[in-house]
Amino acid sequence: MNENNNGAKYEQRDVPVRMVLYAGVLLVVFVAVSLAFVAFLTGLFSVPDRKPTPVQTAERPVAGPRLEVDPKADLDALNARNRRLIETYGRSADGRIRIPVDRAIDLLADRGWPNETNGGGP
Protein backbone atom coordinates (compact mmCIF):
# COMPACT_ATOMS: atom_id res chain seq x y z
CA MET A 1 0.00 0.00 0.00
CA ASN A 2 0.98 3.53 -0.62
CA GLU A 3 2.21 5.47 2.39
CA ASN A 4 0.36 8.63 1.34
CA ASN A 5 -2.95 6.81 1.58
CA ASN A 6 -2.78 6.42 5.37
CA GLY A 7 -4.40 3.00 5.14
CA ALA A 8 -7.67 4.26 3.58
CA LYS A 9 -9.14 2.21 0.75
CA TYR A 10 -10.73 5.15 -1.06
CA GLU A 11 -9.52 8.29 -2.81
CA GLN A 12 -8.80 10.93 -0.23
CA ARG A 13 -8.13 13.81 -2.60
CA ASP A 14 -11.10 15.98 -3.57
CA VAL A 15 -12.01 16.92 -7.11
CA PRO A 16 -10.64 20.37 -7.86
CA VAL A 17 -13.67 22.68 -7.78
CA ARG A 18 -11.92 25.19 -9.99
CA MET A 19 -11.65 22.63 -12.83
CA VAL A 20 -15.34 21.72 -12.53
CA LEU A 21 -16.26 25.43 -12.69
CA TYR A 22 -14.02 25.93 -15.73
CA ALA A 23 -15.69 22.99 -17.50
CA GLY A 24 -19.16 24.39 -16.69
CA VAL A 25 -18.25 27.86 -17.94
CA LEU A 26 -16.71 26.39 -21.06
CA LEU A 27 -19.91 24.40 -21.71
CA VAL A 28 -22.11 27.50 -21.26
CA VAL A 29 -19.86 29.54 -23.59
CA PHE A 30 -19.93 26.78 -26.21
CA VAL A 31 -23.74 26.58 -26.12
CA ALA A 32 -24.05 30.39 -26.35
CA VAL A 33 -21.68 30.56 -29.32
CA SER A 34 -23.54 27.70 -31.03
CA LEU A 35 -26.90 29.41 -30.56
CA ALA A 36 -25.52 32.69 -31.88
CA PHE A 37 -24.11 30.92 -34.94
CA VAL A 38 -27.44 29.18 -35.65
CA ALA A 39 -29.29 32.50 -35.26
CA PHE A 40 -26.86 34.12 -37.70
CA LEU A 41 -27.35 31.34 -40.26
CA THR A 42 -31.11 31.49 -39.86
CA GLY A 43 -31.09 35.22 -40.51
CA LEU A 44 -28.74 34.79 -43.44
CA PHE A 45 -30.79 32.16 -45.26
CA SER A 46 -34.34 33.18 -44.34
CA VAL A 47 -36.59 34.83 -46.90
CA PRO A 48 -38.12 38.07 -45.71
CA ASP A 49 -41.89 38.13 -45.51
CA ARG A 50 -43.31 40.13 -48.38
CA LYS A 51 -46.84 41.29 -48.85
CA PRO A 52 -48.48 39.47 -51.75
CA THR A 53 -48.99 41.47 -54.91
CA PRO A 54 -52.50 41.90 -56.33
CA VAL A 55 -51.70 39.39 -59.06
CA GLN A 56 -50.88 36.74 -56.47
CA THR A 57 -54.02 37.39 -54.43
CA ALA A 58 -56.49 37.61 -57.32
CA GLU A 59 -58.84 34.69 -57.42
CA ARG A 60 -58.54 32.59 -60.53
CA PRO A 61 -61.70 31.13 -61.94
CA VAL A 62 -61.91 27.45 -61.19
CA ALA A 63 -62.42 25.37 -64.29
CA GLY A 64 -64.96 22.64 -63.93
CA PRO A 65 -63.94 19.02 -64.23
CA ARG A 66 -63.27 17.88 -67.76
CA LEU A 67 -65.95 15.28 -68.09
CA GLU A 68 -66.87 13.40 -71.21
CA VAL A 69 -70.20 14.54 -72.54
CA ASP A 70 -71.08 11.15 -74.01
CA PRO A 71 -68.61 8.50 -72.78
CA LYS A 72 -70.33 5.63 -74.61
CA ALA A 73 -70.12 7.44 -77.95
CA ASP A 74 -66.45 8.30 -77.30
CA LEU A 75 -65.65 4.66 -76.48
CA ASP A 76 -67.54 3.44 -79.56
CA ALA A 77 -65.59 5.89 -81.75
CA LEU A 78 -62.28 4.72 -80.25
CA ASN A 79 -63.20 1.05 -80.77
CA ALA A 80 -64.28 1.74 -84.38
CA ARG A 81 -60.95 3.48 -85.09
CA ASN A 82 -58.95 0.61 -83.59
CA ARG A 83 -61.04 -1.96 -85.46
CA ARG A 84 -60.44 -0.07 -88.74
CA LEU A 85 -56.69 -0.08 -88.03
CA ILE A 86 -56.50 -3.85 -87.50
CA GLU A 87 -58.90 -4.81 -90.32
CA THR A 88 -57.64 -2.66 -93.23
CA TYR A 89 -54.54 -2.09 -95.30
CA GLY A 90 -52.73 1.22 -94.96
CA ARG A 91 -49.51 3.16 -94.51
CA SER A 92 -48.50 4.93 -91.30
CA ALA A 93 -47.07 8.44 -91.15
CA ASP A 94 -43.53 7.08 -90.84
CA GLY A 95 -43.90 4.89 -93.96
CA ARG A 96 -44.61 1.48 -92.42
CA ILE A 97 -47.17 -0.70 -94.15
CA ARG A 98 -50.14 -2.04 -92.19
CA ILE A 99 -51.99 -5.23 -93.14
CA PRO A 100 -55.08 -6.78 -91.54
CA VAL A 101 -54.44 -9.08 -88.60
CA ASP A 102 -56.27 -12.03 -90.24
CA ARG A 103 -54.02 -11.76 -93.33
CA ALA A 104 -50.91 -11.54 -91.13
CA ILE A 105 -51.95 -14.69 -89.26
CA ASP A 106 -52.48 -16.54 -92.54
CA LEU A 107 -49.05 -15.43 -93.83
CA LEU A 108 -47.34 -16.54 -90.64
CA ALA A 109 -49.11 -19.89 -90.75
CA ASP A 110 -47.97 -20.47 -94.38
CA ARG A 111 -44.42 -19.11 -94.18
CA GLY A 112 -43.53 -19.43 -90.50
CA TRP A 113 -41.94 -16.80 -88.30
CA PRO A 114 -39.15 -14.96 -90.17
CA ASN A 115 -35.63 -15.87 -89.10
CA GLU A 116 -32.17 -16.12 -90.66
CA THR A 117 -32.98 -19.28 -92.62
CA ASN A 118 -36.10 -18.03 -94.41
CA GLY A 119 -35.07 -14.46 -95.25
CA GLY A 120 -35.91 -12.45 -92.15
CA GLY A 121 -34.01 -11.19 -89.20
CA PRO A 122 -30.55 -9.61 -88.91
Side-chain angles (χ1 to χ4, degrees), residues 11-77:
E11 182 67 41
Q12 290 184 341
R13 292 184 299 154
D14 289 335
V15 175
V17 175
R18 184 175 293 161
M19 292 303 214
V20 172
L21 291 177
Y22 286 153
V25 168
L26 184 64
L27 179 65
V28 169
V29 168
F30 177 75
V31 168
V33 169
S34 298
L35 289 175
F37 183 68
V38 167
F40 169 74
L41 288 179
T42 303
L44 183 67
F45 292 116
S46 68
V47 177
D49 292 334
R50 292 184 236 157
K51 292 183 179 179
T53 63
V55 173
Q56 291 173 337
T57 57
E59 292 185 25
R60 288 184 254 164
V62 178
R66 297 181 181 186
L67 299 176
E68 296 177 356
V69 177
D70 189 3
K72 180 160 179 13
D74 291 342
L75 181 61
D76 291 342

